[in-house]
Protein backbone atom coordinates (compact mmCIF):
# COMPACT_ATOMS: atom_id res chain seq x y z
CA UNK A 1 0.00 0.00 0.00
CA UNK A 2 1.28 3.46 -0.89
CA UNK A 3 1.83 5.48 2.27
CA UNK A 4 0.19 8.56 0.79
CA UNK A 5 -2.82 6.65 -0.53
CA UNK A 6 -5.96 8.57 0.53
CA UNK A 7 -8.48 6.63 2.62
CA UNK A 8 -12.23 6.62 1.91
CA UNK A 9 -14.86 5.19 4.27
CA UNK A 10 -17.97 3.89 2.48
CA UNK A 11 -21.02 3.68 4.76
CA UNK A 12 -23.89 1.91 2.99
CA UNK A 13 -26.32 -0.71 4.31
CA UNK A 14 -27.06 -2.22 0.86
CA UNK A 15 -24.34 -4.79 0.14
CA UNK A 16 -24.46 -4.50 -3.67
CA UNK A 17 -24.18 -0.70 -3.57
CA UNK A 18 -21.41 -0.87 -0.98
CA UNK A 19 -19.38 -3.28 -3.10
CA UNK A 20 -19.83 -1.27 -6.33
CA UNK A 21 -18.62 1.89 -4.59
CA UNK A 22 -15.71 0.09 -2.93
CA UNK A 23 -14.63 -1.55 -6.20
CA UNK A 24 -14.62 1.75 -8.10
CA UNK A 25 -12.85 3.68 -5.34
CA UNK A 26 -10.19 0.95 -5.11
CA UNK A 27 -9.74 1.09 -8.90
CA UNK A 28 -9.23 4.86 -8.61
CA UNK A 29 -6.33 4.31 -6.21
CA UNK A 30 -8.05 4.89 -2.88
CA UNK A 31 -7.65 2.79 0.25
CA UNK A 32 -11.22 1.74 1.10
CA UNK A 33 -12.81 1.14 4.51
CA UNK A 34 -16.38 -0.19 4.71
CA UNK A 35 -19.24 0.00 7.21
CA UNK A 36 -22.74 -1.39 6.79
CA UNK A 37 -24.47 0.81 9.37
CA UNK A 38 -24.09 4.03 11.34
CA UNK A 39 -22.83 2.44 14.55
CA UNK A 40 -20.10 0.54 12.71
CA UNK A 41 -19.14 3.73 10.85
CA UNK A 42 -18.50 5.60 14.11
CA UNK A 43 -16.34 2.73 15.38
CA UNK A 44 -14.32 2.58 12.15
CA UNK A 45 -13.66 6.34 12.27
CA UNK A 46 -12.48 6.02 15.86
CA UNK A 47 -10.04 3.21 14.99
CA UNK A 48 -8.89 4.27 11.50
CA UNK A 49 -9.43 7.94 10.66
CA UNK A 50 -10.39 8.26 6.97
CA UNK A 51 -9.60 11.25 4.74
CA UNK A 52 -13.18 11.37 3.39
CA UNK A 53 -16.52 9.61 4.03
CA UNK A 54 -19.19 8.56 1.52
CA UNK A 55 -22.29 8.23 3.71
CA UNK A 56 -25.76 6.86 2.92
CA UNK A 57 -28.64 8.81 4.50
CA UNK A 58 -31.22 6.03 4.88
CA UNK A 59 -29.92 3.34 7.24
CA UNK A 60 -31.67 1.42 10.02
CA UNK A 61 -31.17 2.42 13.67
CA UNK A 62 -28.62 5.22 13.23
CA UNK A 63 -29.26 7.32 10.11
CA UNK A 64 -26.59 8.93 7.97
CA UNK A 65 -27.82 12.35 9.08
CA UNK A 66 -27.21 11.43 12.74
CA UNK A 67 -23.76 9.97 11.95
CA UNK A 68 -22.91 13.20 10.12
CA UNK A 69 -24.16 15.33 13.02
CA UNK A 70 -22.06 13.40 15.55
CA UNK A 71 -18.87 13.48 13.46
CA UNK A 72 -19.20 17.20 12.74
CA UNK A 73 -19.75 17.96 16.44
CA UNK A 74 -16.41 16.43 17.45
CA UNK A 75 -13.26 18.55 17.05
CA UNK A 76 -11.14 15.56 15.99
CA UNK A 77 -13.50 14.50 13.15
CA UNK A 78 -15.09 17.83 12.19
CA UNK A 79 -12.73 18.42 9.26
CA UNK A 80 -13.38 15.07 7.52
CA UNK A 81 -15.36 15.79 4.32
CA UNK A 82 -18.66 13.90 4.11
CA UNK A 83 -20.50 13.21 0.85
CA UNK A 84 -24.11 12.30 1.64
CA UNK A 85 -25.89 9.78 -0.62
CA UNK A 86 -29.68 9.81 -0.65
CA UNK A 87 -32.71 8.84 -2.72
CA UNK A 88 -34.33 12.03 -1.37
CA UNK A 89 -34.18 14.55 -4.20
CA UNK A 90 -36.29 17.35 -2.74
CA UNK A 91 -34.49 20.62 -2.15
CA UNK A 92 -35.57 20.67 1.50
CA UNK A 93 -33.77 17.32 2.02
CA UNK A 94 -30.59 18.58 0.36
CA UNK A 95 -30.67 21.68 2.56
CA UNK A 96 -31.17 19.54 5.68
CA UNK A 97 -28.23 17.31 4.74
CA UNK A 98 -25.92 20.26 4.11
CA UNK A 99 -27.05 22.09 7.23
CA UNK A 100 -26.24 19.00 9.31
CA UNK A 101 -22.67 19.35 8.10
CA UNK A 102 -22.42 17.29 4.89
CA UNK A 103 -19.92 18.81 2.47
CA UNK A 104 -21.72 17.51 -0.62
CA UNK A 105 -25.03 15.82 -1.44
CA UNK A 106 -25.53 13.24 -4.22
CA UNK A 107 -28.97 11.96 -5.22
CA UNK A 108 -29.49 8.26 -6.00
CA UNK A 109 -29.33 6.85 -8.62
CA UNK A 110 -26.05 8.57 -9.42
CA UNK A 111 -23.23 8.27 -11.94
CA UNK A 112 -20.20 6.54 -10.41
CA UNK A 113 -17.95 8.72 -12.58
CA UNK A 114 -19.58 11.85 -11.15
CA UNK A 115 -19.24 10.56 -7.59
CA UNK A 116 -15.53 9.84 -8.14
CA UNK A 117 -15.09 13.43 -9.37
CA UNK A 118 -16.86 14.76 -6.27
CA UNK A 119 -14.68 12.62 -4.00
CA UNK A 120 -11.56 14.05 -5.65
CA UNK A 121 -12.91 17.60 -5.33
CA UNK A 122 -13.43 17.19 -1.58
CA UNK A 123 -10.07 15.44 -1.21
CA UNK A 124 -8.31 18.28 -3.01
CA UNK A 125 -9.45 20.54 -0.19
CA UNK A 126 -8.09 18.43 2.67
CA UNK A 127 -5.17 16.54 1.09
CA UNK A 128 -3.94 18.60 -1.85
CA UNK A 129 -0.63 16.76 -2.25
CA UNK A 130 -2.46 13.56 -3.30
CA UNK A 131 -3.88 15.31 -6.37
CA UNK A 132 -0.60 16.83 -7.51
CA UNK A 133 -0.99 20.39 -6.30
CA UNK A 134 1.55 23.00 -5.27
CA UNK A 135 1.67 23.73 -1.54
CA UNK A 136 3.09 26.87 0.02
CA UNK A 137 3.90 27.79 3.61
CA UNK A 138 5.73 31.07 4.25
CA UNK A 139 8.86 30.82 2.05
CA UNK A 140 8.61 27.03 1.53
CA UNK A 141 7.15 25.74 -1.77
CA UNK A 142 6.38 22.06 -2.41
CA UNK A 143 5.35 20.84 -5.85
CA UNK A 144 3.64 17.48 -5.40
CA UNK A 145 3.67 16.70 -9.13
CA UNK A 146 7.40 17.26 -9.79
CA UNK A 147 8.45 16.26 -6.24
CA UNK A 148 10.50 19.44 -5.86
CA UNK A 149 10.86 21.61 -2.76
CA UNK A 150 12.38 25.06 -2.40
CA UNK A 151 12.81 27.55 0.41
CA UNK A 152 13.36 31.25 -0.29
CA UNK A 153 13.84 30.11 -3.92
CA UNK A 154 16.73 27.79 -2.98
CA UNK A 155 16.12 24.18 -4.15
CA UNK A 156 16.19 21.70 -1.26
CA UNK A 157 17.32 18.07 -1.37
CA UNK A 158 14.86 15.85 0.49
CA UNK A 159 14.64 12.08 0.68
CA UNK A 160 11.27 10.47 -0.18
CA UNK A 161 10.31 10.03 3.48
CA UNK A 162 11.18 13.64 4.34
CA UNK A 163 9.19 14.77 1.29
CA UNK A 164 6.09 12.88 2.50
CA UNK A 165 6.56 14.26 6.02
CA UNK A 166 6.77 17.82 4.72
CA UNK A 167 3.74 17.43 2.43
CA UNK A 168 1.75 16.09 5.40
CA UNK A 169 2.74 19.10 7.51
CA UNK A 170 2.08 21.57 4.69
CA UNK A 171 -1.42 20.24 4.03
CA UNK A 172 -2.45 21.37 7.53
CA UNK A 173 -0.04 23.99 8.93
CA UNK A 174 -0.39 24.37 12.69
CA UNK A 175 -1.94 20.93 13.19
CA UNK A 176 -0.13 18.81 15.76
CA UNK A 177 0.58 15.28 14.48
CA UNK A 178 1.43 12.51 16.94
CA UNK A 179 4.22 10.09 16.04
CA UNK A 180 1.62 7.33 15.51
CA UNK A 181 -0.39 9.53 13.10
CA UNK A 182 2.74 10.37 11.15
CA UNK A 183 3.66 6.68 10.96
CA UNK A 184 0.22 5.88 9.50
CA UNK A 185 0.29 8.75 7.02
CA UNK A 186 3.93 8.65 5.91
CA UNK A 187 5.01 5.01 6.25
CA UNK A 188 1.61 3.31 5.94
CA UNK A 189 -0.32 1.03 8.27
CA UNK A 190 1.00 -2.17 6.73
CA UNK A 191 4.61 -1.44 7.70
CA UNK A 192 5.97 -1.78 11.22
CA UNK A 193 8.30 1.10 12.08
CA UNK A 194 9.38 2.16 15.56
CA UNK A 195 8.08 5.59 16.61
CA UNK A 196 11.68 6.68 17.23
CA UNK A 197 12.20 6.44 13.47
CA UNK A 198 9.85 9.41 13.15
CA UNK A 199 12.20 11.49 15.31
CA UNK A 200 15.18 10.55 13.11
CA UNK A 201 13.40 11.64 9.92
CA UNK A 202 12.07 14.81 11.55
CA UNK A 203 15.71 15.63 12.36
CA UNK A 204 16.67 15.06 8.71
CA UNK A 205 13.76 17.20 7.53
CA UNK A 206 14.79 20.04 9.85
CA UNK A 207 18.36 19.85 8.55
CA UNK A 208 17.14 19.95 4.95
CA UNK A 209 14.83 22.91 5.57
CA UNK A 210 17.59 24.98 7.18
CA UNK A 211 20.43 24.01 4.81
CA UNK A 212 20.43 27.52 3.26
CA UNK A 213 19.67 29.34 6.52
CA UNK A 214 16.36 30.40 8.01
CA UNK A 215 14.69 29.32 11.23
CA UNK A 216 13.45 25.78 11.87
CA UNK A 217 9.71 25.80 10.99
CA UNK A 218 9.00 22.38 12.57
CA UNK A 219 7.73 22.72 16.12
CA UNK A 220 8.06 19.99 18.76
CA UNK A 221 4.97 19.84 21.00
CA UNK A 222 6.01 18.13 24.22
CA UNK A 223 4.01 14.97 24.87
CA UNK A 224 1.98 15.39 21.69
CA UNK A 225 4.14 15.33 18.56
CA UNK A 226 5.15 17.74 15.81
CA UNK A 227 3.62 20.62 13.86
CA UNK A 228 4.60 23.03 11.09
CA UNK A 229 4.49 26.54 12.51
Amino acid sequence: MAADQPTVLVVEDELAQREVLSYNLDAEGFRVLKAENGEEALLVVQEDMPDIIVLDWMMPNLSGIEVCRRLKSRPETRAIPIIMLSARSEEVDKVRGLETGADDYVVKPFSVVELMARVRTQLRRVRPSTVGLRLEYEDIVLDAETHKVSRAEHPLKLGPTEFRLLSTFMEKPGRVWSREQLLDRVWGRDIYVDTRTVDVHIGRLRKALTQHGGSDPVRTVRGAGYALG
Side-chain angles (χ1 to χ4, degrees):
M1 183 192 78
D4 59 352
Q5 193 178 22
T7 301
V8 182
L9 170 60
V10 175
V11 189
E12 168 64 69
D13 63 321
E14 292 181 26
L15 176 61
Q17 184 88 310
R18 190 167 67 247
E19 291 306 313
V20 165
L21 286 171
S22 301
Y23 174 83
N24 282 279
L25 285 162
D26 182 69
E28 287 283 316
F30 294 102
R31 172 173 171 260
V32 183
L33 305 173
K34 293 182 274 190
E36 62 182 51
N37 56 57
E39 293 91 339
E40 187 182 357
L42 293 174
L43 285 173
V44 170
V45 170
Q46 203 170 359
E47 293 170 1
D48 195 344
M49 190 88 71
D51 292 299
I52 185 168
I53 300 171
V54 177
L55 177 64
D56 184 38
W57 177 322
M58 298 296 288
M59 293 186 292
N61 302 325
L62 198 62
S63 71
I65 281 282
E66 179 59 20
V67 172
C68 181
R69 189 190 66 74
R70 292 189 191 183
L71 291 174
K72 292 296 182 178
S73 68
R74 298 174 187 168
E76 65 273 21
T77 54
R78 187 176 297 147
I80 303 173
I82 294 176
I83 298 178
M84 186 78 74
L85 305 180
S86 177
R88 298 168 179 258
S89 59
E90 296 297 320
E91 188 174 355
V92 65
D93 294 314
K94 291 183 184 178
V95 170
R96 185 183 168 202
L98 294 169
E99 283 184 343
T100 306
D103 298 88
D104 201 354
Y105 188 100
V106 177
V107 178
K108 294 180 178 181
F110 52 82
S111 153
V112 171
V113 173
E114 181 192 354
L115 181 62
M116 295 301 128
R118 288 177 184 244
V119 167
R120 291 204 174 277
T121 297
Q122 292 299 326
L123 192 65
R124 192 176 294 120
R125 188 166 59 78
V126 293
R127 283 197 65 188
S129 71
T130 61
V131 285
L133 296 187
R134 174 184 163 111
L135 303 178
E136 294 186 30
Y137 174 77
E138 295 184 350
D139 60 350
I140 304 169
V141 177
L142 180 149
D143 190 316
E145 199 161 7
T146 61
H147 264 240
K148 290 181 178 177
V149 179
S150 64
R151 184 172 190 190
E153 299 187 0
H154 293 288
L156 303 181
K157 288 186 177 180
L158 268 69
T161 301
E162 288 71 45
F163 184 90
R164 289 197 298 270
L165 269 173
L166 182 60
S167 66
T168 297
F169 285 134
M170 289 182 72
E171 283 167 5
K172 294 186 173 73
R175 169 176 169 168
V176 178
W177 296 84
S178 70
R179 289 170 177 81
E180 289 75 16
Q181 288 170 330
L182 289 171
L183 282 173
D184 289 344
R185 176 61 65 90
V186 175
W187 280 264
R189 289 180 175 270
D190 299 341
I191 300 169
Y192 176 75
V193 181
D194 192 284
T195 53
R196 285 171 295 185
T197 304
V198 176
D199 301 331
V200 171
H201 286 278
I202 290 287
R204 290 179 185 170
L205 175 60
R206 283 176 158 149
K207 188 175 180 180
L209 290 173
T210 56
Q211 63 189 262
H212 299 293
S215 60
D216 178 8
V218 180
R219 179 166 52 98
T220 301
V221 182
R222 191 176 296 278
Y226 298 100
L228 184 68

Short mmCIF file of all heavy atoms in Angstrom, two decimals, residues 47-87:
data_model
loop_
_atom_site.label_atom_id
_atom_site.label_comp_id
_atom_site.label_asym_id
_atom_site.label_seq_id
_atom_site.Cartn_x
_atom_site.Cartn_y
_atom_site.Cartn_z
N GLU A 47 -11.21 4.09 15.07
CA GLU A 47 -10.04 3.21 14.99
C GLU A 47 -9.11 3.54 13.82
O GLU A 47 -7.91 3.29 13.88
CB GLU A 47 -10.50 1.75 14.85
CG GLU A 47 -11.22 1.22 16.10
CD GLU A 47 -11.87 -0.13 15.85
OE1 GLU A 47 -11.74 -0.66 14.72
OE2 GLU A 47 -12.51 -0.64 16.77
N ASP A 48 -9.66 4.09 12.74
CA ASP A 48 -8.89 4.27 11.50
C ASP A 48 -9.41 5.50 10.78
O ASP A 48 -10.25 5.42 9.91
CB ASP A 48 -9.05 3.01 10.63
CG ASP A 48 -8.03 2.95 9.51
OD1 ASP A 48 -7.41 3.98 9.23
OD2 ASP A 48 -7.88 1.86 8.92
N MET A 49 -8.90 6.67 11.16
CA MET A 49 -9.43 7.94 10.66
C MET A 49 -9.31 8.07 9.14
O MET A 49 -8.21 8.08 8.59
CB MET A 49 -8.67 9.09 11.32
CG MET A 49 -9.28 10.45 11.07
SD MET A 49 -10.54 10.89 12.29
CE MET A 49 -9.56 11.18 13.74
N PRO A 50 -10.46 8.14 8.43
CA PRO A 50 -10.39 8.26 6.97
C PRO A 50 -10.14 9.71 6.55
O PRO A 50 -10.28 10.64 7.36
CB PRO A 50 -11.79 7.81 6.54
CG PRO A 50 -12.68 8.20 7.68
CD PRO A 50 -11.84 8.06 8.93
N ASP A 51 -9.78 9.90 5.28
CA ASP A 51 -9.60 11.25 4.74
C ASP A 51 -10.93 11.82 4.27
O ASP A 51 -11.11 13.04 4.22
CB ASP A 51 -8.62 11.22 3.57
CG ASP A 51 -7.21 10.88 4.03
OD1 ASP A 51 -6.66 11.64 4.83
OD2 ASP A 51 -6.69 9.83 3.60
N ILE A 52 -11.88 10.94 3.91
CA ILE A 52 -13.18 11.37 3.39
C ILE A 52 -14.19 10.25 3.63
O ILE A 52 -13.82 9.07 3.70
CB ILE A 52 -13.06 11.73 1.89
CG1 ILE A 52 -14.37 12.30 1.35
CG2 ILE A 52 -12.60 10.55 1.07
CD1 ILE A 52 -14.22 12.93 -0.02
N ILE A 53 -15.47 10.61 3.78
CA ILE A 53 -16.52 9.61 4.03
C ILE A 53 -17.63 9.75 3.00
O ILE A 53 -18.12 10.85 2.73
CB ILE A 53 -17.12 9.79 5.44
CG1 ILE A 53 -16.04 9.61 6.51
CG2 ILE A 53 -18.28 8.80 5.67
CD1 ILE A 53 -16.49 9.97 7.93
N VAL A 54 -18.01 8.62 2.40
CA VAL A 54 -19.19 8.56 1.52
C VAL A 54 -20.28 7.89 2.35
O VAL A 54 -20.15 6.72 2.71
CB VAL A 54 -18.90 7.77 0.22
CG1 VAL A 54 -20.16 7.66 -0.62
CG2 VAL A 54 -17.77 8.43 -0.57
N LEU A 55 -21.34 8.63 2.67
CA LEU A 55 -22.29 8.23 3.71
C LEU A 55 -23.73 8.17 3.21
O LEU A 55 -24.27 9.18 2.74
CB LEU A 55 -22.18 9.23 4.87
CG LEU A 55 -23.10 9.10 6.06
CD1 LEU A 55 -22.86 7.80 6.81
CD2 LEU A 55 -22.90 10.29 7.01
N ASP A 56 -24.36 7.01 3.31
CA ASP A 56 -25.76 6.86 2.92
C ASP A 56 -26.67 7.47 3.99
O ASP A 56 -26.42 7.31 5.19
CB ASP A 56 -26.08 5.36 2.75
CG ASP A 56 -27.50 5.14 2.25
OD1 ASP A 56 -27.96 5.93 1.40
OD2 ASP A 56 -28.14 4.18 2.71
N TRP A 57 -27.71 8.17 3.56
CA TRP A 57 -28.64 8.81 4.50
C TRP A 57 -29.53 7.76 5.18
O TRP A 57 -29.62 7.70 6.40
CB TRP A 57 -29.49 9.83 3.74
CG TRP A 57 -30.55 10.53 4.55
CD1 TRP A 57 -31.34 10.02 5.53
CD2 TRP A 57 -30.94 11.91 4.42
NE1 TRP A 57 -32.19 10.96 6.02
CE2 TRP A 57 -31.97 12.14 5.36
CE3 TRP A 57 -30.53 12.96 3.60
CZ2 TRP A 57 -32.60 13.38 5.49
CZ3 TRP A 57 -31.16 14.19 3.73
CH2 TRP A 57 -32.18 14.39 4.68
N MET A 58 -30.21 6.94 4.36
CA MET A 58 -31.22 6.03 4.88
C MET A 58 -30.62 4.70 5.35
O MET A 58 -30.31 3.83 4.54
CB MET A 58 -32.28 5.75 3.80
CG MET A 58 -33.03 7.00 3.36
SD MET A 58 -34.02 7.72 4.69
CE MET A 58 -35.33 6.51 4.81
N MET A 59 -30.41 4.59 6.66
CA MET A 59 -29.92 3.34 7.24
C MET A 59 -30.72 3.04 8.50
O MET A 59 -31.17 3.97 9.18
CB MET A 59 -28.43 3.45 7.59
CG MET A 59 -27.52 3.58 6.39
SD MET A 59 -25.75 3.55 6.86
CE MET A 59 -25.62 5.10 7.74
N PRO A 60 -30.91 1.76 8.81
CA PRO A 60 -31.67 1.42 10.02
C PRO A 60 -30.94 1.85 11.29
O PRO A 60 -29.71 1.99 11.30
CB PRO A 60 -31.79 -0.11 9.94
CG PRO A 60 -30.67 -0.54 9.05
CD PRO A 60 -30.46 0.57 8.08
N ASN A 61 -31.68 2.04 12.35
CA ASN A 61 -31.17 2.42 13.67
C ASN A 61 -30.54 3.82 13.68
O ASN A 61 -31.16 4.78 14.09
CB ASN A 61 -30.18 1.37 14.22
CG ASN A 61 -30.81 0.00 14.33
OD1 ASN A 61 -32.00 -0.11 14.63
ND2 ASN A 61 -30.06 -1.03 14.08
N LEU A 62 -29.30 3.92 13.21
CA LEU A 62 -28.62 5.22 13.23
C LEU A 62 -28.51 5.73 11.80
O LEU A 62 -27.78 5.18 10.98
CB LEU A 62 -27.22 5.05 13.85
CG LEU A 62 -26.52 6.30 14.34
CD1 LEU A 62 -27.30 6.97 15.47
CD2 LEU A 62 -25.11 5.97 14.81
N SER A 63 -29.24 6.80 11.48
CA SER A 63 -29.26 7.32 10.11
C SER A 63 -27.96 8.03 9.75
O SER A 63 -27.17 8.42 10.62
CB SER A 63 -30.42 8.31 9.95
OG SER A 63 -30.14 9.51 10.66
N GLY A 64 -27.76 8.21 8.44
CA GLY A 64 -26.59 8.93 7.97
C GLY A 64 -26.56 10.36 8.49
O GLY A 64 -25.49 10.90 8.80
N ILE A 65 -27.73 10.98 8.57
CA ILE A 65 -27.82 12.35 9.08
C ILE A 65 -27.29 12.42 10.52
O ILE A 65 -26.55 13.34 10.88
CB ILE A 65 -29.29 12.85 9.03
CG1 ILE A 65 -29.64 13.28 7.60
CG2 ILE A 65 -29.53 13.99 9.99
CD1 ILE A 65 -29.10 14.64 7.19
N GLU A 66 -27.66 11.44 11.34
CA GLU A 66 -27.21 11.43 12.74
C GLU A 66 -25.71 11.15 12.83
O GLU A 66 -25.00 11.76 13.65
CB GLU A 66 -28.00 10.37 13.53
CG GLU A 66 -27.60 10.25 15.00
CD GLU A 66 -27.75 11.53 15.81
OE1 GLU A 66 -28.51 12.44 15.39
OE2 GLU A 66 -27.09 11.62 16.87
N VAL A 67 -25.21 10.25 11.98
CA VAL A 67 -23.76 9.97 11.95
C VAL A 67 -23.01 11.25 11.58
O VAL A 67 -22.02 11.61 12.20
CB VAL A 67 -23.44 8.85 10.93
CG1 VAL A 67 -21.93 8.71 10.74
CG2 VAL A 67 -24.03 7.52 11.38
N CYS A 68 -23.52 11.95 10.56
CA CYS A 68 -22.91 13.20 10.12
C CYS A 68 -22.91 14.23 11.25
O CYS A 68 -21.89 14.88 11.51
CB CYS A 68 -23.68 13.74 8.90
SG CYS A 68 -23.02 15.26 8.23
N ARG A 69 -24.04 14.36 11.92
CA ARG A 69 -24.16 15.33 13.02
C ARG A 69 -23.14 15.05 14.12
O ARG A 69 -22.46 15.96 14.62
CB ARG A 69 -25.58 15.29 13.60
CG ARG A 69 -25.87 16.41 14.59
CD ARG A 69 -27.18 16.19 15.31
NE ARG A 69 -27.15 15.02 16.17
CZ ARG A 69 -26.51 14.97 17.34
NH1 ARG A 69 -25.84 16.02 17.79
NH2 ARG A 69 -26.52 13.87 18.07
N ARG A 70 -23.00 13.77 14.48
CA ARG A 70 -22.06 13.40 15.55
C ARG A 70 -20.60 13.66 15.15
O ARG A 70 -19.81 14.17 15.94
CB ARG A 70 -22.23 11.92 15.92
CG ARG A 70 -23.56 11.63 16.60
CD ARG A 70 -23.59 10.21 17.15
NE ARG A 70 -24.93 9.83 17.58
CZ ARG A 70 -25.22 8.67 18.15
NH1 ARG A 70 -24.25 7.79 18.38
NH2 ARG A 70 -26.47 8.38 18.51
N LEU A 71 -20.26 13.29 13.91
CA LEU A 71 -18.87 13.48 13.46
C LEU A 71 -18.52 14.96 13.36
O LEU A 71 -17.41 15.37 13.70
CB LEU A 71 -18.66 12.80 12.10
CG LEU A 71 -18.69 11.27 12.11
CD1 LEU A 71 -18.62 10.73 10.69
CD2 LEU A 71 -17.54 10.70 12.94
N LYS A 72 -19.47 15.77 12.90
CA LYS A 72 -19.20 17.20 12.74
C LYS A 72 -19.22 17.95 14.07
O LYS A 72 -18.75 19.09 14.15
CB LYS A 72 -20.23 17.83 11.77
CG LYS A 72 -20.09 17.34 10.34
CD LYS A 72 -18.76 17.75 9.72
CE LYS A 72 -18.64 17.31 8.28
NZ LYS A 72 -17.36 17.74 7.65
N SER A 73 -19.73 17.30 15.12
CA SER A 73 -19.75 17.96 16.44
C SER A 73 -18.48 17.70 17.24
O SER A 73 -18.25 18.31 18.27
CB SER A 73 -20.98 17.49 17.25
OG SER A 73 -20.83 16.12 17.60
N ARG A 74 -17.66 16.77 16.74
CA ARG A 74 -16.41 16.43 17.45
C ARG A 74 -15.23 17.14 16.81
O ARG A 74 -15.03 17.05 15.59
CB ARG A 74 -16.17 14.91 17.41
CG ARG A 74 -17.26 14.10 18.09
CD ARG A 74 -17.02 12.62 17.87
NE ARG A 74 -18.11 11.80 18.36
CZ ARG A 74 -18.26 10.51 18.10
NH1 ARG A 74 -17.38 9.89 17.32
NH2 ARG A 74 -19.29 9.83 18.59
N PRO A 75 -14.41 17.81 17.61
CA PRO A 75 -13.26 18.55 17.05
C PRO A 75 -12.32 17.67 16.22
O PRO A 75 -11.81 18.10 15.19
CB PRO A 75 -12.54 19.09 18.29
CG PRO A 75 -13.58 19.12 19.35
CD PRO A 75 -14.52 17.99 19.06
N GLU A 76 -12.11 16.42 16.66
CA GLU A 76 -11.14 15.56 15.99
C GLU A 76 -11.63 15.01 14.65
O GLU A 76 -10.84 14.55 13.82
CB GLU A 76 -10.69 14.40 16.90
CG GLU A 76 -11.78 13.40 17.26
CD GLU A 76 -12.60 13.79 18.49
OE1 GLU A 76 -12.62 14.98 18.85
OE2 GLU A 76 -13.22 12.89 19.08
N THR A 77 -12.96 15.02 14.42
CA THR A 77 -13.50 14.50 13.15
C THR A 77 -14.24 15.55 12.33
O THR A 77 -14.71 15.26 11.24
CB THR A 77 -14.46 13.32 13.43
OG1 THR A 77 -15.49 13.74 14.37
CG2 THR A 77 -13.73 12.13 14.03
N ARG A 78 -14.31 16.76 12.84
CA ARG A 78 -15.09 17.83 12.19
C ARG A 78 -14.61 18.13 10.77
O ARG A 78 -15.40 18.44 9.88
CB ARG A 78 -15.02 19.09 13.05
CG ARG A 78 -15.92 20.23 12.59
CD ARG A 78 -15.84 21.38 13.55
NE ARG A 78 -16.34 20.99 14.87
CZ ARG A 78 -15.88 21.47 16.02
NH1 ARG A 78 -14.88 22.35 16.02
NH2 ARG A 78 -16.39 21.10 17.17
N ALA A 79 -13.30 18.02 10.55
CA ALA A 79 -12.73 18.42 9.26
C ALA A 79 -12.83 17.34 8.17
O ALA A 79 -12.52 17.61 7.01
CB ALA A 79 -11.27 18.83 9.44
N ILE A 80 -13.28 16.13 8.53
CA ILE A 80 -13.38 15.07 7.52
C ILE A 80 -14.53 15.39 6.57
O ILE A 80 -15.68 15.52 7.00
CB ILE A 80 -13.63 13.68 8.17
CG1 ILE A 80 -12.53 13.33 9.16
CG2 ILE A 80 -13.74 12.60 7.09
CD1 ILE A 80 -12.81 12.05 9.95
N PRO A 81 -14.27 15.51 5.26
CA PRO A 81 -15.36 15.79 4.32
C PRO A 81 -16.34 14.62 4.26
O PRO A 81 -15.92 13.45 4.27
CB PRO A 81 -14.65 15.97 2.98
CG PRO A 81 -13.22 16.16 3.30
CD PRO A 81 -12.97 15.44 4.58
N ILE A 82 -17.63 14.93 4.20
CA ILE A 82 -18.66 13.90 4.11
C ILE A 82 -19.51 14.16 2.87
O ILE A 82 -20.05 15.26 2.69
CB ILE A 82 -19.57 13.90 5.37
CG1 ILE A 82 -18.76 13.47 6.60
CG2 ILE A 82 -20.77 12.97 5.17
CD1 ILE A 82 -19.53 13.53 7.91
N ILE A 83 -19.60 13.14 2.01
CA ILE A 83 -20.50 13.21 0.85
C ILE A 83 -21.71 12.36 1.18
O ILE A 83 -21.60 11.14 1.38
CB ILE A 83 -19.81 12.70 -0.43
CG1 ILE A 83 -18.59 13.58 -0.76
CG2 ILE A 83 -20.80 12.68 -1.59
CD1 ILE A 83 -17.81 13.12 -1.98
N MET A 84 -22.87 12.99 1.27
CA MET A 84 -24.11 12.30 1.64
C MET A 84 -24.77 11.71 0.39
O MET A 84 -24.94 12.40 -0.62
CB MET A 84 -25.07 13.29 2.32
CG MET A 84 -26.32 12.66 2.88
SD MET A 84 -26.01 11.82 4.46
CE MET A 84 -25.82 13.21 5.56
N LEU A 85 -25.15 10.43 0.46
CA LEU A 85 -25.89 9.78 -0.62
C LEU A 85 -27.33 9.60 -0.17
O LEU A 85 -27.59 9.16 0.95
CB LEU A 85 -25.30 8.40 -0.93
CG LEU A 85 -23.81 8.30 -1.26
CD1 LEU A 85 -23.44 6.85 -1.53
CD2 LEU A 85 -23.47 9.17 -2.47
N SER A 86 -28.28 9.95 -1.04
CA SER A 86 -29.68 9.81 -0.65
C SER A 86 -30.60 9.70 -1.86
O SER A 86 -30.33 10.29 -2.91
CB SER A 86 -30.11 11.01 0.20
OG SER A 86 -31.49 10.91 0.52
N ALA A 87 -31.68 8.93 -1.68
CA ALA A 87 -32.71 8.84 -2.72
C ALA A 87 -33.64 10.05 -2.62
O ALA A 87 -34.48 10.27 -3.49
CB ALA A 87 -33.50 7.54 -2.55
#
